[in-house]
Amino acid sequence: MTGLERTAADVVPARRSSIGSGLGIWFARPTSKTLVMNLGILIALSVWLSFATSQFTTSQNITNVLGQVSFIGISACLVTPVMVAGGLDLSVGSIIAVAGVTAAKFVADAHWPLGWAFLMGALAGGVIGALNAFLIVGMKINPVITTLGTMYIGRGLANVVAGGSPVTGVPFSFNDLATSDVGPIPVPVVIFAVIALVMIFVERKTILGRWTVASGGNQEAARLSGIPINRTRVTLYILSGLAAGVAGILLNSRIATGDPNSGTGFEFDVIVAVVLGGTAITGGQGKIIGSIVGVLIVGVLNNGLNLLGVSTFYQYIVQGGVLIFAVGVDEVFRHTWGNILRRQRFERRSQRQAHGSN
Amino acid sequence: MDTASGTDLLVIDELTKSYDGVQALRGANLVVGRGEIHALLGENGAGKSTLIKTLAGAVRPDSGTITFDGAAVEFGSRADSMNRGISVIFQHANLVPQLTVAENVVLGNEQRLFGYLRDGRQREATHEVLARLGMRIDLNRTAASLRAGERQLVEIARALLQETKLLILDEPTASLGTEEVEHLHQVLLELRDSGIGIIYVSHRLEEVLSVSDRLTVLRDGRTVGTRIAAETSTADVIQLMIGRDASHVFRKTSDAREEVVLRVRDLTTPTGLQGVGFDLHAGEILGVYGLLGSGRTELARAVYGADPIGSGLIETPTAPTGRKRNPYRAARAGIGLVPEERTTQAMFPLLSITDNMSSGRPWLYTRWGVIRNRRRRHLVEEMARRVRLKAASAGQSIAALSGGNQQKVVLGRWMLGNSRLLILDDPTVGVDIGAKEEIYRLISELTADGTAVLLLSSEVPEVLGLSDRVIVLFHGAVAATYTSDDVSEQALLRAAHGEAA
Ligand SMILES: Nc1ncnc2c1ncn2[C@@H]1O[C@H](COP(=O)(O)OP(=O)(O)OP(=O)(O)O)[C@@H](O)[C@H]1O
Ligand SMILES: [Mg+2]
């Protein structure tokens, strides 16, 4: 149909229909296989929980799950492209605290209007993102080391500014942002959905999205084909800081104050979800939609374990197990299983041939 | 089927293989004797590498039989095939760059004593083998620091240490200069005389015909003939390969205009260029010839802004000069670079053909940073047709293409849109003869439109046939300049070896 297929047909006759090959190509991508598998896991998990517990399918619980995952989800939508571009951002958990404390301080001490205070909180996240970008892209310091460093710096700063405990004197309306609804949907979920949609658009339809996968896939080739890899990475780190800042004001709004210890371990929840969703730790590969499914799996799992009355300690064990299992099964599926299938097919054929020639 | 007598080392019978729907082999036959150099030829995507991968145990055939050394065999893994005495030097170099020469040679074959490496004896053996190949290099150098030709020899050394019966080389000379090719051939002839069977894949037909005993041609995954090399001309081979005649349609008339597109003066770089200077006019093709290490690639990278320069001047009317040069600005200014090494410097292996081809000139298909998909697809498919890309669809991963077709994608990247200056560093590496013709025609079309081309090549006929002027580099400096009328192959080679013209 298309020009290219015509060329191909010139040389290699008997090609499959274009739709067939399109689907085939889509499914041949490792990220697509992971996505399909993860959707399966998510559905199976949900079906099982809806039988195992009576509350799981109530609309209140579903809203609750979505509300809980939205913070991690917002951050995951931007940590994904950072990782796809070959980087890493471990500072997002501390940004949660920095953003929350900043917003709370602006309200409580400077008496700024709430909206502006929240904006300052989110921007504080962006500032840490810019610091990451400067150190990683400008100074060429390894991203793991850099963001590990800014993770500690951020946590320390938040504690210094807040005096080691949640900010006092925050008006009760600080809580409104996270607890109000748009129609039936809580605000954090709406913001998560908007950010997710925008980022999926950016990933698929804009040149920034192409630059992101290209710089993670082969940095030297990206540079030589005229892709501004530095500008791409700077943009992504700043956006990741901003998104974590947004997640931070939402999360702190929910607890109605700025808590310097909020978001502890958050960065690992985000990375678990992103990696579970099929993003390669080495960069070059990964999809935001995959991370969103990863976020949902983690959220549903935790919620289910809560409903089943499993203690938090066991939840950690299960979460770690699921991560290793899901990523491991994926590897096994991609390599070993494929090889076994191929070997069987081959042996069957050669047997048939052996019989045929007898 | 009783051809597998004592004399034949390898008999391949009716091998087929498909990669999810792409039929790479559809009945390939090949018989290689002991002490024979057997050339395996065919267009890009004909199935040569696939055939070799089945022998290496890297790919399982769907049907067909392989008889090796008198016994029917089936290779389940690389180790399987190595243990039986088959060594493969793949199209893409296969050494671990961080390891030293010594470590690379014994890799996978380490002699251990309770887990301790006994490298003393192995180093001796390695030394011996390398000496046999006429190679004197420090065993402690890392593979990354070797030149392409040296890397090839190290890989052969590794094969020899493993008591090889069949040595397979997939396009070993693709990036080698004349001298290194000759050395390699010398080594191959000696190995042949010691009784080793050799399969030799190449697109440089004259070269491969001169060294091989017999040749087999594949077309669309099928064997179309086996010939005695001494009784076959390149024209015959081409006829077999593509079913028609092809000659290099080199351009005759120059399109050079007044306007200077690139002015280089006294260029000295940390990478080894010393006082290089020349002008390049719009519509002109300036060939740059030189042996490996003469500074060809370094010149390409400096002009493009990929490497920092020490002193001197690189001036293009549209791109910034001096420290402000970088590949991004160069690309914006209509300059393109097809780099020397495709896999490490030009390809995004995880991305599609479309993404790979459209990465250089995004402004052709974006508005406010948003991709106009139909436009992009249209551009890519049009270009795919022009370079005769052989692929299932534009959404296919570039990693699934044959080597030559990957190169066409990289070339297509810079042929999209209008270029003011194209820097082509060995642009037809691994490209088959039919497609080469097509690419030369495309280059001529571009120059007719006023594009200037800096053509750096290790193939003398390519430089001579296409260029309006040729400069020869020796040790990082310009050794000679010729116009297309007063240059001969001999003169070019002499200058490249530093002998005064
Ligand atoms: N991993 C893969 N997945 C899908 N198709 C593949 C894969 N590898 C090769 N092919 C297809 O198989 C066919 C034969 O490829 P092969 O690499 O054997 O060609 P070749 O003769 O070595 O060509 P070249 O001279 O360009 O190296 C091509 O059409 C190629 O696109
Ligand atoms: Mg090949």
Side-chain angles (χ1 to χ4, degrees):
Chain A
M1 279 208 305
T2 56
L4 189 79
E5 273 148 353
R6 231 182 297 134
T7 339
D10 287 345
V11 200
V12 191
R15 183 82 39 203
R16 292 173 299 172
S17 79
S18 62
I19 292 178
S21 66
L23 255 185
I25 284 165
W26 183 83
F27 200 75
R29 281 186 205 132
T31 43
S32 313
K33 279 184 193 153
T34 308
L35 181 62
V36 170
M37 197 185 74
N38 281 350
L39 275 174
I41 292 178
L42 182 61
I43 291 168
L45 198 61
S46 307
V47 170
W48 176 62
L49 284 173
S50 65
F51 285 109
T53 71
S54 53
Q55 305 105 303
F56 180 75
T57 39
T58 60
S59 67
Q60 200 210 336
N61 186 56
I62 289 174
T63 318
N64 182 21
V65 172
L66 289 176
Q68 274 168 357
V69 299
S70 56
F71 313 110
I72 295 175
I74 288 169
S75 181
C77 285
L78 279 126
V79 169
T80 307
V82 166
M83 287 180 68
V84 169
L88 191 68
D89 193 348
L90 291 169
S91 67
V92 291
S94 297
I95 291 178
I96 296 283
V98 170
V101 169
T102 306
K105 276 287 179 188
F106 269 104
V107 181
D109 294 3
H111 305 292
W112 281 36
L114 262 180
W116 289 103
F118 282 134
L119 183 66
M120 294 312 289
L123 286 180
V127 170
I128 296 186
L131 177 63
N132 287 334
F134 170 72
L135 294 172
I136 294 167
V137 180
M139 309 297 290
K140 303 196 189 325
I141 305 174
N142 174 290
V144 180
I145 305 300
T146 302
T147 58
L148 202 56
T150 53
M151 171 178 123
Y152 280 106
I153 293 171
R155 184 67 61 192
L157 275 178
N159 271 290
V160 168
V161 172
S165 56
V167 178
T168 52
V170 180
F172 202 71
S173 52
F174 195 78
N175 187 231
D176 290 349
L177 180 65
T179 49
S180 44
D181 301 322
V182 179
I185 310 167
V187 167
V189 179
V190 173
I191 293 180
F192 172 31
V194 170
I195 291 182
L197 288 175
V198 170
M199 285 313 295
I200 288 174
F201 177 80
V202 169
E203 174 188 59
R204 301 186 44 162
K205 300 283 183 203
T206 71
I207 197 66
L208 180 63
R210 299 292 85 202
W211 285 347
T212 302
V213 275
S215 20
N218 185 347
Q219 191 171 323
E220 180 65 3
R223 194 173 81 93
L224 290 183
S225 67
I227 291 173
I229 48 174
N230 289 346
R231 199 205 297 167
T232 303
R233 288 186 300 164
V234 167
T235 309
L236 294 178
Y237 279 111
I238 294 178
L239 288 179
S240 175
L242 273 176
V246 170
I249 55 173
L250 290 170
L251 201 146
N252 279 282
S253 160
R254 197 175 59 153
I255 52 180
T257 180
D259 181 356
N261 290 315
S262 59
T264 309
F266 180 87
E267 59 279 345
F268 292 108
D269 292 339
V270 171
I271 291 170
V272 163
V274 170
V275 172
L276 194 61
T279 296
I281 326 176
T282 47
Q285 209 167 55
K287 287 272 186 291
I288 291 168
I289 186 75
S291 300
I292 293 173
V293 175
V295 166
L296 288 174
I297 291 178
V298 173
V300 167
L301 193 67
N302 285 344
N303 175 258
L305 294 172
N306 272 332
L307 293 179
L308 293 168
V310 178
S311 90
T312 337
F313 304 136
Y314 284 103
Q315 290 188 19
Y316 283 135
I317 297 175
V318 173
Q319 198 172 334
V322 166
L323 176 71
I324 295 172
F325 179 76
V327 176
V329 163
D330 198 34
E331 291 289 310
V332 171
F333 183 79
R334 269 190 229 165
H335 298 127
T336 327
W337 200 7
N339 282 345
I340 291 171
L341 284 180
R342 237 172 284 138
R343 182 175 299 222
Q344 283 174 348
R345 213 182 314 147
F346 177 74
E347 274 159 11
R348 245 180 285 128
R349 269 201 209 140
S350 28
Q351 269 168 12
R352 232 180 293 138
Q353 278 171 355
H355 287 301
S357 59
N358 276 346
Chain B
M1 269 286 271
D2 274 3
T3 42
S5 60
T7 56
D8 288 331
L9 178 62
L10 172 78
V11 179
I12 289 179
D13 192 47
E14 287 299 312
L15 219 56
T16 70
K17 166 74 195 173
S18 76
Y19 293 101
D20 349 87
V22 179
Q23 195 73 38
L25 293 179
R26 12 173 129 227
N29 300 300
L30 176 66
V31 178
V32 180
R34 288 167 217 278
E36 176 191 27
I37 300 183
H38 198 114
L40 184 59
L41 307 171
E43 278 185 297
N44 294 132
K48 305 179 296 294
S49 296
T50 306
L51 185 65
I52 283 166
K53 282 179 197 156
T54 62
L55 289 175
V59 153
R60 292 186 150 265
D62 297 334
S63 72
T65 58
I66 303 174
T67 313
F68 183 67
D69 213 5
V73 287
E74 216 175 78
F75 299 122
S77 66
R78 287 281 293 118
D80 254 14
S81 124
M82 277 197 225
N83 290 339
R84 286 183 183 268
I86 297 181
S87 291
V88 184
I89 295 167
F90 285 104
Q91 198 161 0
H92 310 300
N94 225 358
L95 299 177
V96 184
Q98 298 87 351
L99 295 185
T100 65
V101 170
E103 285 164 335
N104 263 298
V105 169
V106 300
L107 195 68
N109 201 22
E110 293 95 343
Q111 287 176 11
R112 270 177 233 139
L113 191 65
F114 305 120
Y116 288 101
L117 291 176
R118 302 176 52 187
D119 59 349
R121 272 191 32 210
Q122 288 201 304
R123 289 177 70 89
E124 241 168 67
T126 307
H127 222 97
E128 241 165 65
V129 171
L130 285 175
R132 195 171 144 199
L133 299 179
M135 205 180 170
R136 273 173 311 246
I137 53 169
D138 183 358
L139 294 184
N140 293 324
R141 277 173 63 188
T142 60
S145 73
L146 298 180
R147 290 185 190 160
E150 293 172 329
R151 257 180 265 161
Q152 225 96 47
L153 289 175
V154 170
E155 290 206 49
I156 293 179
R158 178 160 70 186
L160 293 184
L161 265 184
Q162 292 163 359
E163 308 213 346
T164 293
K165 291 176 190 156
L166 178 64
L167 177 65
I168 305 176
L169 303 108
D170 196 355
E171 296 191 38
T173 60
S175 47
L176 298 193
T178 321
E179 202 152 283
E180 280 150 315
V181 171
E182 259 160 37
H183 184 193
L184 179 72
H185 284 179
Q186 215 50 50
V187 168
L188 292 184
L189 289 171
E190 272 167 38
L191 293 179
R192 175 192 73 178
D193 294 339
S194 72
I196 294 178
I198 296 171
I199 299 178
Y200 187 145
V201 178
S202 178
H203 288 293
R204 295 183 170 187
L205 299 180
E206 287 89 0
E207 227 172 77
V208 71
L209 280 180
S210 74
V211 74
S212 41
D213 301 304
R214 283 193 296 171
L215 61 97
T216 291
V217 175
L218 285 182
R219 186 153 90 215
D220 285 343
R222 251 187 223 104
T223 297
V224 292
T226 295
R227 300 278 188 278
I228 310 248
E231 299 165 3
T232 316
S233 68
T234 39
D236 298 338
V237 176
I238 294 167
Q239 180 70 36
L240 267 179
M241 270 171 61
I242 60 182
R244 63 182 169 88
D245 291 327
S247 54
H248 296 308
V249 256
F250 289 132
R251 26 176 257 150
K252 293 278 175 286
T253 56
S254 169
D255 297 311
R257 306 175 187 184
E258 275 297 296
E259 183 198 355
V260 174
V261 172
L262 172 68
R263 191 189 307 272
V264 177
R265 290 287 177 276
D266 273 328
L267 179 64
T268 299
T269 66
T271 53
L273 295 179
Q274 286 169 357
V276 174
F278 58 85
D279 282 347
L280 176 56
H281 299 260
E284 185 184 32
I285 301 181
L286 178 64
V288 180
Y289 184 76
L291 303 178
L292 272 171
S294 62
R296 263 185 317 168
T297 294
E298 289 72 13
L299 178 61
R301 291 177 61 95
V303 169
Y304 191 57
D307 290 334
I309 65 171
S311 64
L313 178 79
I314 300 173
E315 217 177 60
T316 43
T318 43
T321 53
R323 287 184 177 282
K324 291 210 188 89
R325 289 186 77 77
N326 64 32
Y328 172 69
R329 295 209 174 96
R332 285 261 140 183
I335 302 175
L337 168 73
V338 173
E340 182 187 29
E341 294 218 347
R342 175 174 63 241
T343 40
T344 56
Q345 300 177 341
M347 257 175 57
F348 306 108
L350 299 170
L351 300 186
S352 66
I353 293 172
T354 305
D355 282 338
N356 268 283
M357 204 187 268
S358 64
S359 66
R361 301 264 154 87
W363 55 89
L364 293 175
Y365 56 85
T366 54
R367 194 188 286 141
W368 304 111
V370 178
I371 295 170
R372 294 143 85 194
N373 254 326
R374 289 205 18 212
R375 194 166 159 66
R376 182 163 83 133
R377 211 177 51 220
H378 177 77
L379 284 168
V380 166
E381 283 173 357
E382 180 67 30
M383 185 50 67
R385 194 162 35 225
R386 283 175 66 190
V387 296
R388 294 160 154 245
L389 188 72
K390 185 176 168 185
S393 90
Q396 200 185 11
S397 158
I398 193 174
L401 294 183
S402 76
N405 281 302
Q406 291 171 348
Q407 184 69 16
K408 293 181 200 171
V409 172
V410 175
L411 268 167
R413 177 184 296 163
W414 298 115
M415 293 192 173
L416 288 180
N418 295 322
S419 302
R420 293 190 55 87
L421 168 62
L422 280 185
I423 307 161
L424 309 176
D425 194 355
D426 253 336
T428 58
V429 164
V431 171
D432 71 50
I433 198 153
K436 252 183 199 170
E437 201 182 86
E438 208 62 28
I439 287 166
Y440 295 153
R441 205 177 45 71
L442 282 173
I443 293 176
S444 302
E445 272 175 37
L446 291 174
T447 56
D449 290 341
T451 304
V453 175
L454 189 62
L455 175 73
L456 309 99
S457 178
S458 56
E459 289 189 48
V460 178
E462 186 167 287
V463 174
L464 289 182
L466 278 179
S467 313
D468 300 320
R469 282 185 304 142
V470 183
I471 61 177
V472 180
L473 292 180
F474 179 71
H475 285 336
V478 177
T481 308
Y482 302 99
T483 60
S484 61
D485 311 320
D486 68 354
V487 61
S488 68
E489 185 160 350
Q490 279 72 18
L492 212 62
L493 287 174
R494 265 207 307 279
H497 283 91
E499 294 162 32

